[in-house]
Amino acid sequence: MAEKLNNYENTNRLFDKAADVIELDADIRKILKTPFREVKVELPVRMDDGHIEVFLGYRVQHNGARGPMKGGLRFHPEVDFDEVRSLASLMTWKTALVNVPFGGAKGGITCDPWQMSQRELEVLTRRFTSRMGLAWGLHRDIPAPDVNTNAQVMAWIMDQYSQRYGYTPGIVTGKPLGLGGSPGREAATGKGVSIATREAARDFDIDLKGARVAIQGFGNVGSYTGKFLHEMGAQIVAVSDASGGLFAGDGLPVTELFDHTYEHRTIEGFGQGEALSNEELITLDCDILIPAALGGVITQENANDVRAKMVVEAANSPITTIGDAILNDRGVIVVPDIFANAGGVTVSYFEWVQNIQAMTWEEDDVNQQLERIMVKAYRDVTDVMKQQSVPMRTAAFTIAIQRVADTEKMRGGF
Ligand code: NAD
């Protein structure tokens, strides 16, 4: 069977599988599979060498039945409508699953930020904000960080948006603390992934103490995931990023590696561990594999070679539909993205709540609420898994789809 589906078709396959389980009617299916609004903008930027480059920026607002649409912004050469559409729909299911009052959106700019200066990035971000601002809003659509965007990018967005619409810190989440960011937001996705891993490991008889963990991608999500799992007693035996990978059979010194990466934005130059390729990391002999970089890295080509007992999807869509079917058939536990990485949007919700109330929470309160929401979502998912005898991903999708479908029906208007 060839794997020819595009990203959005892949996501809709997962949607249909779960929609069949709850016997969702055809009309609601059509609504939930059609994005609410899609915007594409032209972004001319004068580059440092004097010429003008024209970039393209995208925002897909997938569904807003349950609240303002929410989702990150990705700066990457492979960003296109198909990828953004797929990621936007995952946000709809993610926010519904953890039951925060948001819908789903995603955006991005096709660019290579590693080849751009800070000034070029700032102009690009501000252009994007000026041209997308009409479609955003505190109660309409709220961006956040994703691949290659960070607190600084969110600060530029907040400033640019506020120049036109008045002081609006809540227009974006993942901001620096001094600009209305939330304590705990930077670490939140990784913290959520570590909670998801802990809960699933306990249920599937993997002792986290001493468990061998391999993490692909050591950016925001991967590095915090490694840090928290290390604190829980796991051994991080391999990590990788765009520059390549590192392996140490008795565990990498995660704290030092975290500090090195925080400073240099890459694991390159760390000077400890053996070299390992990104492909080798996926098939490494380990207990838990955590893809935390880009989508589509476990496919029909390598799913049979995955040796981990459990795969925790810290990245969005790291496993293709066929890759997923192969892992399921082989009995590999897959903890799905819409649950595993939902800690980020959960604390983004807390940040938005703090902004609209003009209040700041303590970090302990943020982390306690995050723990409560992740554990509740895990229990909801595993209850459905047992009742319906379906994989964890299908269980997670059924809960989310049912919630959004019910709200769509209540709101009506068609
Ligand atoms: P990031 O930009 O901070 O880090 C991305 C990491 O992936 C970097 O280490 C980079 O070097 C690595 N990478 C890039 N290309 C690679 C390649 N070809 N092979 C191996 N590694 C590669 O991004 P992030 O925010 O950590 O996001 C990572 C994933 O987590 C994405 O799939 C994103 O959608 C998802 N996610 C992020 C958040 C969030 O709050 N930031 C929330 C939910 C999900």
Side-chain angles (χ1 to χ4, degrees):
M1 193 172 12
E3 214 164 11
K4 287 237 175 347
L5 297 178
N6 65 31
N7 289 306
Y8 193 51
E9 286 166 347
N10 239 311
T11 308
N12 278 338
R13 275 268 175 106
L14 307 175
F15 171 93
D16 277 329
K17 214 169 156 187
D20 288 347
V21 173
I22 54 172
E23 296 174 358
L24 191 70
D25 69 71
D27 290 342
I28 292 289
R29 257 184 224 234
K30 269 183 278 175
I31 294 174
L32 298 187
K33 281 164 81 169
T34 311
F36 169 79
R37 182 187 283 131
E38 303 191 336
V39 188
K40 177 176 170 186
V41 288
E42 169 215 48
L43 304 166
V45 174
R46 187 171 298 284
M47 307 301 276
D48 291 345
D49 68 3
H51 86 282
I52 290 177
E53 196 66 57
V54 179
F55 297 91
L56 293 177
Y58 304 86
R59 187 77 180 164
V60 173
Q61 298 171 337
H62 179 262
N63 187 286
R66 301 181 68 259
M69 290 168 277
K70 188 87 190 81
L73 292 177
R74 181 173 288 199
F75 288 2
H76 195 274
E78 280 163 26
V79 165
D80 61 13
F81 254 137
D82 169 48
E83 181 182 75
V84 174
R85 206 174 275 138
S86 159
L87 293 167
S89 91
L90 286 180
M91 288 305 297
T92 299
W93 314 128
K94 194 178 303 183
T95 52
L97 176 64
V98 288
N99 219 355
V100 294
F102 282 145
K106 202 82 178 190
I109 301 177
T110 318
C111 66
D112 186 353
W114 291 87
Q115 305 302 324
M116 296 172 70
S117 68
Q118 278 292 99
R119 188 204 66 83
E120 290 167 343
L121 277 176
E122 177 171 353
V123 175
L124 180 65
T125 305
R126 287 182 182 277
R127 274 258 178 218
F128 185 63
T129 306
S130 304
R131 295 191 172 184
M132 276 293 173
L134 272 176
W136 295 346
L138 200 49
H139 299 286
R140 181 175 294 151
D141 181 4
I142 305 137
D146 192 74
V147 174
N148 292 331
T149 56
N150 56 18
Q152 177 60 74
V153 174
M154 300 305 117
W156 292 328
I157 292 174
M158 177 268 176
D159 179 69
Q160 190 70 23
Y161 187 90
S162 294
Q163 284 180 29
R164 184 180 291 184
Y165 299 99
Y167 182 69
T168 322
I171 189 57
V172 71
T173 57
K175 297 178 293 293
L177 282 180
L179 271 188
S182 175
R185 172 60 184 93
E186 187 180 89
T189 310
K191 186 167 269 295
V193 174
S194 70
I195 296 169
T197 308
R198 184 197 68 205
E199 294 296 296
R202 190 198 51 228
D203 273 5
F204 294 97
D205 294 328
I206 299 173
D207 188 357
L208 252 195
K209 291 219 167 20
R212 289 161 308 140
V213 177
I215 303 176
Q216 185 188 56
F218 211 64
N220 171 278
V221 178
S223 64
Y224 276 106
T225 299
K227 181 176 183 287
F228 292 125
L229 286 177
H230 174 70
E231 286 168 12
M232 290 174 183
Q235 271 191 334
I236 313 301
V237 291
V239 306
S240 68
D241 67 8
S243 73
L246 294 173
F247 168 78
D250 50 359
L252 288 158
V254 175
T255 311
E256 290 95 313
L257 185 57
F258 183 91
D259 293 344
H260 171 92
T261 312
Y262 208 86
E263 190 182 342
H264 302 283
R265 296 177 64 217
T266 169
I267 61 173
E268 202 171 13
F270 181 57
Q272 294 186 56
E274 294 165 38
L276 166 102
S277 72
N278 265 295
E279 294 72 33
E280 286 167 333
L281 183 138
I282 296 290
T283 57
L284 192 75
D285 184 13
C286 62
D287 299 305
I288 302 171
L289 172 64
I290 306 188
L294 301 175
V297 293
I298 301 177
T299 65
Q300 67 180 143
E301 305 298 328
N302 61 3
N304 272 311
D305 302 323
V306 168
R307 285 190 275 173
K309 300 180 188 104
M310 186 161 97
V311 181
V312 182
E313 293 187 317
N316 285 307
S317 308
I319 309 178
T320 62
T321 333
I322 298 182
D324 198 44
I326 295 172
L327 293 181
N328 273 323
D329 287 349
R330 294 183 50 225
V332 178
I333 309 301
V334 175
V335 183
D337 47 10
I338 63 167
F339 164 62
N341 69 34
V345 75
T346 301
V347 177
S348 274
Y349 164 58
F350 301 157
E351 181 171 330
W352 178 78
V353 168
Q354 291 169 72
N355 292 155
I356 56 180
Q357 296 185 342
M359 282 182 68
T360 308
W361 299 5
E362 295 298 326
E363 187 163 349
D364 279 354
D365 297 334
V366 169
N367 288 336
Q368 271 174 30
Q369 294 294 331
L370 171 62
E371 166 84 23
R372 186 183 59 77
I373 288 184
M374 289 299 292
V375 169
K376 164 90 170 63
Y378 181 76
R379 293 203 182 120
D380 289 348
V381 170
T382 42
D383 282 352
V384 172
M385 223 178 132
K386 284 174 203 147
Q387 283 158 17
Q388 303 281 353
S389 301
V390 290
M392 205 183 298
R393 187 190 310 284
T394 307
F397 266 81
T398 61
I399 295 167
I401 293 169
Q402 192 66 63
R403 284 185 183 148
V404 182
D406 289 347
T407 317
E408 278 288 357
K409 284 183 196 154
M410 282 185 263
R411 291 186 64 159
F414 14 86

